[in-house]
Amino acid sequence: MTAEPGLSDTLRDLPAWTPGPVELADLELILAGAYRPLTGFLGSYDTAMVIAGGRLADGTPWPVPVTLSVPKELTGHERVVLQDPEGVPVAVLRVAEAWQDPTSQGWRLAGPLEALRAPAHGPFHRLRRRPDELDLAEGNVLAVATRVPLHRKQLGQLRQVAERLGAQVIVLPLLGGEHDESLVRALLGVRKELPDGARIIPVPLPARGGVVGGARERDLLLHAHVAAAYGATHLLSEHEVEDTAIPVVVPEPWAYDADVEVWRPVARIEPDHVQAELTQERLNELLDAGEPVPDWFTPPAVAAELALARPPKLSRGITVFFTGLSGSGKSTVARGLADALVERGGRTVTLLDGDVVRRMLSSGLTFSRADRDLNIRRIGFVAAEITRHGGTAICAPIAPYAATRAEVRRMVSAVGDFILVHVATPLEECERRDRKGLYAKARAGVIPEFTGISDPYEEPADADLTLDTSRMTPDEAVAKVLDLLVGGGWVRSA
């Protein structure tokens, strides 16, 4: 892919690449100076040293690999334009090294970056600041880097530590999770409960995967690096870690004093007056049931955002994804489920199966593995969008490959709930039912790469429900799926 025509003549014919979410965040933070001393993506030796010992090759402490994955065809170029998801060029990478990751065998490019324009993608971009744009007063600066809202306990601890240090406060909501907008809104909603003059500065820093060992520690080390770049002198954290860029401050334990109905240090509370804290499990139960989150636990503004980010199950979007061999009965059960949900009411139902998928999503695709995977990804993308908006998507493809099903599960789970139903009807029965003669053609070699005959079907190990339609009627199979949905709280009982 070549860069957009709006670039200068010297850059117009360069290849262009859109990095993944983590790499795009890394790109933005490198360009902003929040990853100093890094000026670009790391090469093979620096990466190996970081993974082995948390230091760059020159000995500079650095906690995580910051690398750029690319397709092999980009490894022969001296410069590559890096662009955001909308195709807007953001920077030029001057390639110093093209290397192959020994673990994943994927290709990487390393080298310094030349900024073309400030990134402008993502939510609440107007609140973002480069470190050099902050005008902080002299003295201590306490940073809080968080992926979750601050409840009453954390707000009290923050005020206590800030007062003890005589520090200004900067709150760094770390973007890149499932509910970035809710996180920032929840923090803005408690601005009056933060210390005077506190700044809220969103930072694009998704949680990192694939780092071997000490993931939480390395994550915290990176938070400290970023906070230091923004001018912080201290980082507030519930966990201790050594050798950070700035000192980590762990607050003293707090609890809710049921006698005077306030949060305060545990040392100041009579033991029999300590009220048990609301666990994450209990909080999720309240949200799933649509029950109010108690005011003693969190401010109303935060409770409202929690409810938006995790709606009650009865109104939350959900995808029911059937998988199984051709002729297993999955389409019949899926249609029966769609009809049953429409009859009950209360949910908007979309059936992604049959002619609609073949005509609107799969048109032009072949039976090659690559095209079959692409078909499942397309179905998964549409299902995720339906789920995001509170609808019910019912899908019934063969979906023979575990990795692709897992990819769809991740897409949907980021915005709602995902149920996998394995229709495990034996191959012999599927072949006996062969109304379209597909199995016969596959046996004769007329249809290549046919699932169950000349291509494998990888049985799910993560199915939420398994059905064998050779042992039950379609109505009985539909009833079992309905029982699962009712029992899980997504559908009202009849």
Side-chain angles (χ1 to χ4, degrees):
M1 181 178 182
T2 55
E4 67 170 24
L7 292 173
S8 66
D9 291 340
T10 58
L11 301 177
R12 186 176 300 160
D13 296 328
L14 294 181
W17 177 246
T18 302
V22 173
E23 296 164 329
L24 200 62
D26 287 340
L27 170 64
E28 184 167 342
L29 293 175
I30 292 169
L31 296 178
Y35 269 6
R36 64 187 186 199
L38 271 57
T39 57
F41 289 100
L42 300 182
S44 56
Y45 188 45
D46 272 323
T47 299
M49 293 294 288
V50 167
I51 292 174
R55 292 181 179 274
L56 301 173
D58 65 3
T60 302
W62 190 259
V64 297
V66 178
T67 61
L68 177 66
S69 303
V70 297
K72 186 177 181 180
E73 54 264 29
L74 285 182
T75 59
H77 297 271
E78 294 182 355
R79 293 189 297 171
V80 176
V81 174
L82 301 180
Q83 56 192 20
D84 71 11
E86 286 74 45
V88 177
V90 175
V92 174
L93 173 70
R94 296 183 179 274
V95 180
E97 180 188 5
W99 56 286
Q100 193 169 19
D101 188 295
T103 302
S104 68
Q105 299 302 306
W107 288 92
R108 308 280 189 268
L109 292 183
L113 292 163
E114 173 191 340
L116 296 176
R117 55 173 56 83
H121 59 277
F124 288 103
H125 201 86
R126 69 184 184 279
L127 296 179
R128 299 192 200 178
R129 297 289 182 273
R130 293 171 55 98
D132 58 12
E133 292 175 334
L134 288 188
D135 183 20
L136 298 173
E138 293 292 329
N140 289 332
V141 178
L142 176 65
V144 182
T146 181
R147 301 191 191 282
V148 296
L150 301 180
H151 302 299
R152 293 201 186 277
K153 181 179 85 168
Q154 290 79 26
L155 289 166
Q157 291 173 318
L158 172 58
R159 290 191 297 267
Q160 182 191 42
V161 173
E163 183 178 355
R164 175 164 59 84
L165 294 175
Q168 306 169 74
V169 169
I170 54 174
V171 180
L172 306 176
L174 304 179
L175 307 183
E178 297 175 3
H179 302 291
D180 289 344
E181 299 89 343
S182 287
L183 171 61
V184 178
R185 287 195 300 264
L187 293 172
L188 292 173
V190 296
R191 177 176 273 171
K192 292 182 179 179
E193 301 194 38
L194 297 172
D196 290 343
R199 306 282 295 275
I200 298 174
I201 306 166
V203 175
L205 193 65
R208 310 181 79 90
V211 177
V212 178
R216 186 175 71 183
E217 179 178 339
R218 292 185 185 228
D219 204 36
L220 186 53
L221 288 168
L222 184 59
H223 297 174
H225 271 279
V226 172
Y230 275 94
T233 59
H234 298 78
L235 178 68
L236 187 69
S237 173
E238 295 181 358
H239 308 287
E240 294 187 29
V241 65
E242 298 179 352
D243 299 325
T244 50
I246 52 177
V248 170
V249 181
V250 178
E252 67 174 305
W254 276 46
Y256 185 71
D257 189 334
D259 183 42
V260 293
E261 299 183 335
V262 295
W263 285 90
R264 57 180 179 170
V266 172
R268 297 171 54 190
I269 306 175
E270 295 292 331
D272 58 343
H273 293 163
V274 173
Q275 181 166 311
E277 190 170 353
L278 200 65
T279 64
Q280 187 63 50
E281 181 180 11
R282 178 56 184 154
L283 175 60
N284 289 345
E285 289 175 354
L286 292 174
L287 295 170
D288 288 347
E291 298 178 12
V293 178
D295 183 77
W296 65 264
F297 174 73
T298 200
V302 177
E305 290 303 330
L306 292 175
L308 284 174
R310 191 182 178 102
K313 280 191 170 184
L314 283 173
S315 58
R316 188 183 310 166
I318 184 173
T319 289
V320 182
F321 194 94
F322 292 85
T323 175
L325 295 171
S326 177
S328 62
K330 59 189 181 300
S331 293
T332 301
V333 180
R335 286 194 298 271
L337 176 64
D339 291 343
L341 292 177
V342 169
E343 290 170 5
R344 290 186 179 218
R347 277 196 168 271
T348 301
V349 180
T350 301
L351 179 62
L352 295 174
D353 186 38
D355 289 339
V356 172
V357 169
R358 282 188 288 272
R359 186 174 63 252
M360 304 302 295
L361 296 179
S362 306
S363 178
L365 297 183
T366 69
F367 286 98
S368 69
R369 173 160 186 162
D371 276 4
R372 282 183 288 168
D373 272 349
L374 178 58
N375 180 48
I376 301 306
R377 290 190 185 96
R378 288 177 177 178
I379 292 171
F381 174 80
V382 175
E385 289 304 301
I386 292 168
T387 302
R388 181 194 305 277
H389 296 288
T392 302
I394 301 175
C395 314
I398 293 174
Y401 308 125
T404 315
R405 293 193 300 262
E407 188 176 340
V408 173
R409 182 187 284 272
R410 285 192 296 271
M411 277 194 286
V412 173
S413 297
V415 295
D417 290 339
F418 181 87
I419 297 294
L420 182 64
V421 179
H422 177 204
V423 185
T425 306
L427 174 61
E428 296 77 13
E429 175 63 16
C430 296
E431 211 165 345
R432 188 191 66 78
R433 298 174 177 175
D434 193 14
R435 291 179 298 175
K436 298 179 181 179
L438 298 178
Y439 282 98
K441 291 179 181 179
R443 294 283 187 191
V446 177
I447 302 178
E449 297 182 293
F450 189 83
T451 301
I453 302 300
S454 51
D455 204 64
Y457 176 81
E458 298 172 359
E459 294 201 359
D462 59 343
D464 299 285
L465 178 66
T466 300
L467 304 172
D468 179 352
T469 62
S470 68
R471 298 173 178 269
M472 63 184 72
T473 67
D475 286 345
E476 289 171 337
V478 170
K480 286 187 176 294
V481 183
L482 279 173
D483 287 345
L484 176 65
L485 297 178
V486 170
W490 293 282
V491 175
R492 299 183 193 278
S493 58

